[in-house]
Amino acid sequence: MLNPVRGALALLFTGLLATGACAREAAPVAHQFFQVSLPASAAKPAAGRLLLFATEAKAARAAARDGKVTEVEASPFAPEQTAVAAREVERLAPGGGVLLDADAQAFPSAFSKLPPGDYLVQAVLDTQHDYNYHGRNGGDLVSPVVEVHLPSTAAPTLALTQTLSTTALWDLPERYLSETTRKHLAQAREQVRPIDVVSPALSAFWGRPIHMRGWVVLPPGYDASAGATYPTVYQTHGFGGDLHTQAGTAAMVFGAMAEKQLPPMIWVVLDESGPTGTHEFADSVNNGPWGQALTTELIPSLEGEYRMDARPSGRFLTGHSSGGWATLWLQTRYPKVFGGTWSTSPDPSDFHDFTGVDLYAPHANVYHRADGTPYPLVRDKGKVIASFETFARMERVLGPYGGQMASFDWVFSPRGKDGRPLPMFDRDTGDVDPAVVAYWSEHYDIARRLKEHWPELKPDLEGKIHLVVGTADTFYLDGAAHKLKAVLDGLGAKSDFRFLPGRTHMDLYVQGKDRQGLLKQMAWEMYALARPESKLRRVAAR
């Protein structure tokens, strides 16, 4: 689902009322402009989506550890903290500048309507058009943080003086490095093999080479010449993940196997990110046949190269959030290929509860209920901190490239006449398009697929669905999981659903002091199915 690092601001509505018989029409408020330049010393012209962030200066400095603010960003967990404005820049020459109208495309409101005061502002030129997915990234141009008083009759100036460097794949953030991972990191880098395979099916769809990427994690002691084969786990990430974050996952998995906290298996750690968001390994008219490419091209290729157990009983799936939906979809769409999925906090698997919204309801609207109350989308510790509308409106300002809501359209929607996917809902009003939902339902509502096709699916799918979600899931994904369980229970199907009390999207995997305890538990469950005769047992993390 949603990237916890991306922000969403609370929507503010302001207005002026003229009262009295002789009331005069209020004068229009002047727009707030900013001048953003590229220094003459820049090596080449630049282009991209220009983003401007502003936050109240006093509060930002008070929250900073040393009182120094070097970055102004939006956060989903402080939704009223930062405002953002944007415009497209087709060409910005060295020594040149552009005028950004911070009222034209802005969130939560036009900048001229922000409360008067001192603000810290920063400009970012998103050169890859991927801010909605990655945030500021390698190659983006940024300005220093500047303090300005708003509103301002003059246009404050900012200069894009810094080019962000690209992070090396194995330059892992500290948050990825547990004691075990750090201990075995050097060996992991030697034994983790990169995947970079050009897919014929995807390349034919796009008319250019399309690469499937990821990492193969071989267990310590792996011997390519030995006769033994290993059960294989296919794992993928949630929204915001990529090949770099998956390197961290690969290193963690290797270290845990080295310490016998995980059983000896081969892990295929897959990258499901792309320019449109996450493709979720769905076979899509917009993104291409990713499920087909995985099951008929990549998996046979890997099984020809590594000592993998090539039976369905030796192939397993796991993923979290968008990766949870992807693995749930792959298991139900290709039940003969895989021996089971352990999907955690998956994106909605029953569109009767799309993060709380019934997409099938008459006159459905994702922004508000029939009584006008807003649909929440993000919560923390029981408190609603962002609505569906809040999140969608901010995504729109950040750009139509790879945001979470746009990503859903690219995966699930039919293609429009302009070659882009048809939006499931109107970004201005929140009104749901029933025709688009009908297409979503027919092709990607997992609960519907199971209900309508269970007799033919049962022989290959019975007992293979394992789903874990927290009852306080940050993005309300427990609702759809309950509905999916009800469908399977109604069919008399064997399945494994676990609703962990009080757990959120972010802490679901924590067991005691082990941040990856749930992953290890699920891996041992997989191993027990693949190797029921094994006497190996899990070693607890220290």
Side-chain angles (χ1 to χ4, degrees):
M1 176 62 181
L2 311 171
N3 181 348
V5 181
R6 295 275 52 80
L9 304 180
L11 188 64
L12 305 178
F13 292 96
T14 60
L16 296 173
L17 293 178
T19 59
C22 298
R24 301 169 66 182
E25 183 177 345
V29 178
H31 283 208
Q32 179 65 61
F33 289 89
F34 289 81
Q35 181 73 30
V36 182
S37 64
L38 183 65
S41 58
K44 58 182 180 180
R49 189 164 184 86
L50 182 60
L51 303 170
L52 181 75
F53 299 95
T55 189
E56 198 276 323
K58 184 177 180 181
R61 290 195 176 103
R65 184 171 300 178
D66 56 2
K68 296 180 181 179
V69 179
T70 58
E71 244 184 36
V72 182
E73 278 273 32
S75 167
F77 301 106
E80 298 182 10
Q81 180 174 291
T82 307
V84 59
R87 63 157 288 182
E88 284 296 317
V89 175
E90 294 183 0
R91 187 178 189 276
L92 180 56
V98 295
L99 199 62
L100 187 151
D101 182 348
D103 282 25
Q105 297 182 67
F107 190 86
S109 69
F111 272 41
S112 64
K113 296 181 180 179
L114 293 175
D118 295 325
Y119 288 82
L120 299 180
V121 298
Q122 186 174 35
V124 177
L125 185 64
D126 174 20
T127 59
Q128 302 300 316
H129 285 120
D130 61 358
Y131 188 95
N132 248 327
Y133 191 83
H134 289 293
R136 53 189 73 184
N137 205 4
D140 288 348
L141 306 178
V142 301
S143 76
V145 174
V146 176
E147 181 172 346
V148 300
H149 186 86
L150 298 177
S152 171
T153 53
T157 60
L158 300 100
L160 299 168
T161 57
Q162 181 185 4
T163 302
L164 298 183
S165 59
T166 300
T167 304
L169 285 175
W170 284 96
D171 184 8
L172 303 179
E174 283 297 314
R175 66 180 182 276
Y176 290 179
L177 300 178
S178 67
E179 181 180 346
T180 297
T181 302
R182 194 187 307 275
K183 177 180 176 182
H184 297 280
L185 183 58
Q187 188 181 3
R189 292 186 62 172
E190 293 179 1
Q191 290 211 207
V192 171
R193 312 289 174 81
I195 299 171
D196 190 346
V197 175
V198 175
S199 161
L202 291 167
S203 299
F205 177 88
W206 284 101
R208 56 184 172 83
I210 299 296
H211 295 250
M212 304 185 78
R213 293 188 170 93
W215 307 98
V216 174
V217 187
L218 301 173
Y222 174 85
D223 184 353
S225 63
T229 61
Y230 294 87
T232 304
V233 183
Y234 292 86
Q235 183 272 348
T236 191
H237 54 79
F239 189 87
D242 55 20
L243 195 61
H244 179 234
T245 65
Q246 288 295 73
T249 300
M252 179 275 295
V253 165
F254 181 86
M257 282 197 289
E259 295 289 321
K260 296 182 170 52
Q261 297 166 13
L262 283 173
M265 298 195 288
I266 295 175
W267 287 68
V268 179
V269 182
L270 296 164
D271 178 9
E272 68 169 26
S273 67
T276 66
T278 52
H279 55 69
E280 303 191 50
F281 289 99
D283 298 308
S284 162
V285 296
N286 301 301
N287 289 328
W290 280 93
Q292 174 192 334
L294 175 68
T295 55
T296 66
E297 296 174 356
L298 184 60
I299 289 178
S301 173
L302 294 175
E303 290 178 347
E305 183 175 357
Y306 299 102
R307 301 204 61 80
M308 296 174 170
D309 186 340
R311 301 169 298 174
S313 60
R315 300 190 196 106
F316 302 106
L317 293 157
T318 189
H320 186 65
S321 195
S322 293
W325 189 93
T327 52
L328 187 60
W329 169 254
L330 286 168
Q331 182 64 71
T332 55
R333 179 63 181 82
Y334 300 97
K336 294 180 183 294
V337 175
F338 302 103
T341 184
W342 278 253
S343 302
T344 61
S345 306
D347 286 354
S349 52
D350 185 324
F351 296 155
H352 286 94
D353 191 324
F354 194 79
T355 63
V357 183
D358 182 356
L359 298 184
Y360 300 121
H363 312 295
N365 186 292
V366 297
Y367 288 171
H368 54 75
R369 302 178 178 90
D371 64 3
T373 57
Y375 278 112
L377 185 65
V378 186
R379 61 181 169 179
D380 186 45
K381 298 181 175 63
K383 180 183 178 182
V384 176
I385 53 179
S387 69
F388 203 120
E389 182 174 12
T390 293
F391 201 93
R393 288 188 180 277
M394 182 170 186
E395 178 181 302
R396 195 180 191 185
V397 172
L398 293 176
Y401 329 96
Q404 178 66 85
M405 301 306 167
S407 180
F408 285 138
D409 289 333
W410 276 90
V411 175
F412 300 144
S413 289
R415 182 181 293 181
K417 293 181 180 179
D418 62 355
R420 295 177 60 85
L422 295 175
M424 183 269 286
F425 67 94
D426 187 295
R427 269 34 176 195
D428 290 322
T429 66
D431 289 336
V432 168
D433 186 330
V436 174
V437 169
Y439 184 92
W440 281 33
S441 176
E442 181 181 355
H443 295 85
Y444 301 107
D445 187 319
I446 294 174
R448 174 183 170 179
R449 172 176 169 77
L450 294 177
K451 190 173 184 178
E452 294 182 352
H453 299 280
W454 185 246
E456 63 199 75
L457 293 172
K458 180 178 178 179
D460 299 307
L461 198 52
E462 183 82 300
K464 290 185 177 181
I465 294 176
H466 307 260
L467 192 154
V468 188
V469 66
T471 61
D473 184 83
T474 309
F475 306 107
Y476 297 86
L477 296 171
D478 48 317
H482 277 291
K483 290 192 177 298
L484 179 62
K485 181 180 186 301
V487 167
L488 287 167
D489 289 349
L491 294 167
K494 294 179 181 178
S495 61
D496 169 28
F497 281 73
R498 304 171 220 176
F499 297 89
L500 303 189
R503 290 304 177 91
T504 72
H505 208 70
M506 314 306 175
D507 64 3
L508 187 73
Y509 280 42
V510 177
Q511 292 182 346
K513 295 182 179 180
D514 189 350
R515 291 182 298 173
Q516 298 296 334
L518 176 62
L519 180 71
K520 295 167 186 176
Q521 176 186 335
M522 295 188 299
W524 282 100
E525 292 169 3
M526 298 174 198
Y527 193 73
L529 289 176
R531 300 291 184 267
E533 74 286 351
S534 175
K535 299 294 192 295
L536 291 177
R537 294 293 180 268
R538 174 182 175 182
V539 175
R542 293 189 292 274

